[in-house]
Amino acid sequence: MTDGLDPATNALDPPTNSSESGGHVARRLLKGVSTHAIFMLNADGNIIAWPAPAMALYGHDATAVLDRHVRMLFADDEGEADSDSLPGDFFAEPREESVEFERWHRRADGSVFWGTLTLSPLRNGEFHGYAAISRDTTTAKEYERMLERQNDRLKEFTDILAHDLRNPLNVIEGSLTLYEEAGDEEHLERVGETTNRMARLVDDLLRVARQGNVVSDPEPTDVGEVVEAAWRSLGGKSGAALTYEPVPSVSSDPDRLRELFENLFLLGAF
């Protein structure tokens, strides 16, 4: 036992006098921090001190980690490449400033956590290694991923909204043009029908955004009527003819089914 430190556990002996050395005080600080795992590495990255908070975070006792490289703490098989991972040549030369890395860590029981590892060079005239501070930031990582998922879903929703409203808007534009040219009020009726459908479509898309893609209130739907309505909404600009085989009615949301056929006709004929 040297300088009050038990090499097997890196625990501290009780003080023998009221004026402890700086080394004693530093080790007591390392042992007393509970929110972070603070340990020490030599210049090559091998673990040379493993206090109680490090044991608590990782589950390894000192005998399992002392003199082993810090990389033993990493979960390299998690399959997530991170730009902030510890580079392979990090310990080739002594560092002048603290560096922070974020990556997956693995505990002794096999569980993993997203951790922030800060390595700070230790100097007292000469370079002695690194103070390593590791903390579990899984909660922050999960929150970040939740925000990413929400942003992705919002983008998907806006893309769908823009795409699915484009067809009705084209119908309205075409009908207004025909009304201006011919003055036939039938075209205005078509505008009214289309705007009503757009309102239902917006309500439906908002419901999908809140609840998911499942149709909550399906109703018996004549597929032939839906197909013909979808075909008429496109205005027949391609010159193609519509033919189909009659099929039994289905249980669906008519507006969403019509939008499906409109998209299919656009892909196949325009």
Side-chain angles (χ1 to χ4, degrees):
M1 189 177 300
T2 60
D3 199 22
L5 183 66
D6 185 340
T9 64
N10 283 55
L12 298 173
D13 290 335
T16 56
N17 55 63
S18 59
S19 57
E20 291 182 294
S21 69
H24 275 115
V25 173
R27 291 189 179 92
R28 289 193 178 280
L29 287 173
L30 290 177
K31 182 181 179 182
V33 174
S34 59
T35 57
H36 295 65
I38 304 177
F39 49 101
M40 295 177 65
L41 310 177
N42 64 15
D44 296 323
N46 295 324
I47 300 170
I48 58 174
W50 191 250
M55 298 183 198
L57 178 61
Y58 288 96
H60 294 291
D61 61 25
T63 58
V65 298
L66 287 178
D67 298 324
R68 296 189 61 184
H69 200 276
V70 67
R71 293 184 186 281
M72 71 159 289
L73 303 176
F74 301 154
D76 292 330
D77 57 348
E78 283 304 294
E80 182 170 341
D82 298 290
S83 58
D84 292 334
S85 293
L86 183 64
D89 61 350
F90 180 85
F91 297 102
E93 298 290 340
R95 300 284 170 155
E96 298 296 328
E97 298 179 349
S98 297
V99 185
E100 186 175 275
F101 305 99
E102 292 186 314
R103 60 177 303 143
W104 289 104
H105 295 235
R106 191 180 305 280
R107 299 184 180 90
D109 62 4
S111 62
V112 297
F113 66 92
W114 183 257
T116 300
L117 176 67
T118 303
L119 299 181
S120 301
L122 295 173
R123 294 182 180 277
N124 184 16
E126 298 180 357
F127 177 69
H128 296 285
Y130 297 91
I133 303 176
S134 181
R135 56 193 177 96
D136 184 345
T137 54
T138 304
T139 300
K141 182 68 172 177
E142 290 175 345
Y143 180 71
E144 175 186 325
R145 287 183 166 179
M146 181 194 70
L147 292 179
E148 290 176 354
R149 289 193 297 269
Q150 289 180 343
N151 289 336
D152 290 343
R153 189 171 183 180
L154 178 60
K155 182 180 183 303
E156 181 182 4
F157 172 73
T158 55
D159 289 345
I160 292 173
L161 185 63
H163 178 271
D164 287 355
L165 289 181
R166 188 171 292 115
N167 292 340
L169 287 172
N170 289 337
V171 171
I172 292 174
E173 182 180 6
S175 298
L176 289 175
T177 300
L178 292 173
Y179 174 73
E180 291 172 355
E181 294 175 351
D184 189 344
E185 293 189 359
E186 179 183 348
H187 300 302
L188 291 182
E189 293 176 3
R190 190 179 185 191
V191 169
E193 293 174 357
T194 305
T195 55
N196 289 335
R197 189 166 71 87
M198 288 178 65
R200 294 195 303 271
L201 179 61
V202 170
D203 289 341
D204 184 57
L205 288 172
L206 289 173
R207 186 165 57 252
V208 170
R210 290 191 296 264
Q211 302 176 359
N213 295 323
V214 177
V215 176
S216 56
D217 297 308
E219 60 185 72
T221 305
D222 187 315
V223 178
E225 291 181 359
V226 171
V227 169
E228 291 176 358
W231 184 256
R232 286 196 306 270
S233 71
L234 300 178
K237 295 180 180 180
S238 67
L242 173 65
T243 58
Y244 61 90
E245 294 292 332
V247 296
S249 63
V250 297
S251 181
S252 74
D253 181 319
D255 288 321
R256 291 170 70 173
L257 186 60
R258 175 174 169 176
E259 192 68 26
L260 170 63
F261 279 109
E262 287 180 355
N263 290 333
L264 290 174
F265 290 151
L266 282 172
L267 290 172
F270 290 89

